[in-house]
């Protein structure tokens, strides 16, 4: 069997960590960091020369940028609420003052945005690009979906029923939840790469070894325990081995 879910990340201590994104060579790492910084500058550029903006203006800019790229599916209002909470937590960890009232973020400061982008948002955006067909078909749920949400939906479903969601606690990873036995939901952490040999995803097996895959589709199709994606769609009808990654 595949190992369980990874522990919650510590955003404050992982400045150098790329979430689930671990470039396999210095060339790929350099490109990753270049693209990450370029896109961050492009997103914030509409607010320059200001060093802060309101959450409402920032959210509108973020949604517009995401829609321009994804076209058919954007962030849900619940996803955006999660992003707002994560940014508020990061702002407080960084010692920012005057950014929120109680539990609600009011102001987005440039330095907070940079931390949020580097540590959390960009790894998630990167994995969506790798799984774009599945994302646009709504086969992978957004960051607002929790472990309990998945369990509530599939716990009473037939064995082999599964769902996928983006991980908010392990940015850059996808969580697979499936019914392994009647009324028993098992969870698997799918890390995103790139990794060696052209692999972009990997799953930790028992014993600490990893099994790599080129696409998310390959991960799903290679697992014999998975039969149908919730509510009742045969996996072979929606996941394709020949599907390309960007």
């Amino acid at each position: 069997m595949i190992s369980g879910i990874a522990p919650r990340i510590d955003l404050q201590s992982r400045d150098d960590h790329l979430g689930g994104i671990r470039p396999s060579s210095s060339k790929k790492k350099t490109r990753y960091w270049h693209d990450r910084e370029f896109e961050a500058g492009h997103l914030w550029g509409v607010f320059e020369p200001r060093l802060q903006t309101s959450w409402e203006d920032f959210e509108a800019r973020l949604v517009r940028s995401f829609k321009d790229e994804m076209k058919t599916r954007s962030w849900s209002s619940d996803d955006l609420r999660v992003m707002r909470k994560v940014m508020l937590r990061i702002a407080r960890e960084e010692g920012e003052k005057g950014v929120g009232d109680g539990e609600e973020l009011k102001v987005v400061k440039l330095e907070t945005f940079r931390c949020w982008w580097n540590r959390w948002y960009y790894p998630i955006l990167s994995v969506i690009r790798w799984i774009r067909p599945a994302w646009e078909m709504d086969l992978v749920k957004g960051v607002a979906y929790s472990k309990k949400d998945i369990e509530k939906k599939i716990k009473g479903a037939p064995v082999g029923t599964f769902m996928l969601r983006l991980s908010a606690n392990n940015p850059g990873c996808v969580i697979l939840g499936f019914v392994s036995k009647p009324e028993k939901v098992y969870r698997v952490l799918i890390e995103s790469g790139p990794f060696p040999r052209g692999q972009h995803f990997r799953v930790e097996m028992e014993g600490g070894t990893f099994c790599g895959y080129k696409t998310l589709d390959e991960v799903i199709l290679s697992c014999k325990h998975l039969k149908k994606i919730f509510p009742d769609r045969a996996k072979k009808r929606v996941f394709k081995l020949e599907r390309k990654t960007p």
Side-chain angles (χ1 to χ4, degrees):
M1 290 292 287
I2 304 172
S3 66
I5 190 170
R8 181 178 181 82
I9 65 167
D10 179 355
L11 288 170
Q12 191 170 16
S13 65
R14 292 177 71 170
D15 291 295
D16 298 327
H17 189 64
L18 308 181
I21 313 297
R22 295 181 179 87
S24 56
S25 71
S26 58
K27 183 177 180 181
K28 289 180 179 178
K29 184 174 182 179
T30 299
R31 179 180 175 183
Y32 176 90
W33 287 95
H34 176 269
D35 291 347
R36 189 200 67 170
E37 294 299 326
F38 176 81
E39 291 188 47
H42 178 72
L43 184 68
W44 188 266
V46 298
F47 304 122
E48 292 180 342
R50 289 179 289 164
L51 298 180
Q52 65 182 48
T53 189
S54 68
W55 168 258
E56 289 73 21
D57 286 349
F58 178 80
E59 181 185 90
R61 171 60 177 151
L62 185 69
V63 170
R64 184 165 61 250
S65 175
F66 192 73
K67 280 184 175 180
D68 286 345
E69 181 173 356
M70 293 300 156
K71 308 297 183 185
T72 60
R73 181 185 173 195
S74 187
W75 296 115
S76 70
S77 58
D78 288 336
D79 289 330
L80 292 167
R81 278 193 286 272
V82 169
M83 294 179 192
R84 191 174 189 175
K85 288 180 179 179
V86 171
M87 187 175 284
L88 178 60
R89 177 157 57 93
I90 291 174
R92 287 175 172 169
E93 289 173 351
E94 294 298 315
E96 294 283 4
K97 306 294 184 182
V99 295
D101 179 14
E103 295 303 313
E104 191 168 86
L105 183 76
K106 298 292 187 181
V107 175
V108 178
K109 295 188 177 183
L110 176 57
E111 287 306 311
T112 301
F113 162 71
R114 285 175 173 165
C115 292
W116 175 84
W117 176 273
N118 293 340
R119 302 176 186 178
W120 195 82
Y121 186 78
Y122 194 70
I124 291 172
L125 179 62
S126 296
V127 77
I128 289 176
R129 289 168 174 163
W130 288 116
I131 64 170
R132 181 168 179 167
W135 171 260
E136 293 186 335
M137 294 169 65
D138 199 24
L139 301 178
V140 180
K141 301 303 180 184
V143 293
Y145 258 75
S146 67
K147 174 182 70 175
K148 291 183 179 180
D149 293 330
I150 298 296
E151 289 183 349
K152 184 178 180 181
K153 283 186 174 292
I154 68 174
K155 192 171 184 179
V159 172
T161 302
F162 67 97
M163 290 185 72
L164 296 158
R165 64 181 176 90
L166 298 175
S167 176
N169 293 335
N170 294 272
C173 297
V174 176
I175 304 297
L176 164 67
F178 70 95
V179 183
S180 57
K181 299 177 182 178
E183 300 295 318
K184 176 67 175 179
V185 176
Y186 194 79
R187 297 185 307 281
V188 178
L189 181 76
I190 304 172
E191 297 180 68
S192 63
F195 300 114
R197 299 186 297 278
Q199 296 171 343
H200 299 287
F201 298 92
R202 72 178 187 180
V203 175
E204 185 177 0
M205 315 299 286
E206 284 189 345
T209 60
F210 288 88
C211 187
Y213 306 87
K214 290 185 177 180
T215 65
L216 179 65
D217 298 66
E218 186 181 354
V219 177
I220 301 304
L221 292 172
S222 67
C223 183
K224 64 181 181 180
H225 301 290
L226 308 179
K227 306 299 182 183
K228 294 183 178 182
I229 190 165
F230 184 84
D232 190 32
R233 301 171 72 182
K235 68 178 184 180
K236 291 184 178 180
R237 295 180 64 89
V238 290
F239 294 96
K240 310 293 181 183
L241 275 180
E242 67 271 16
R243 185 169 287 157
K244 305 288 186 180
T245 53

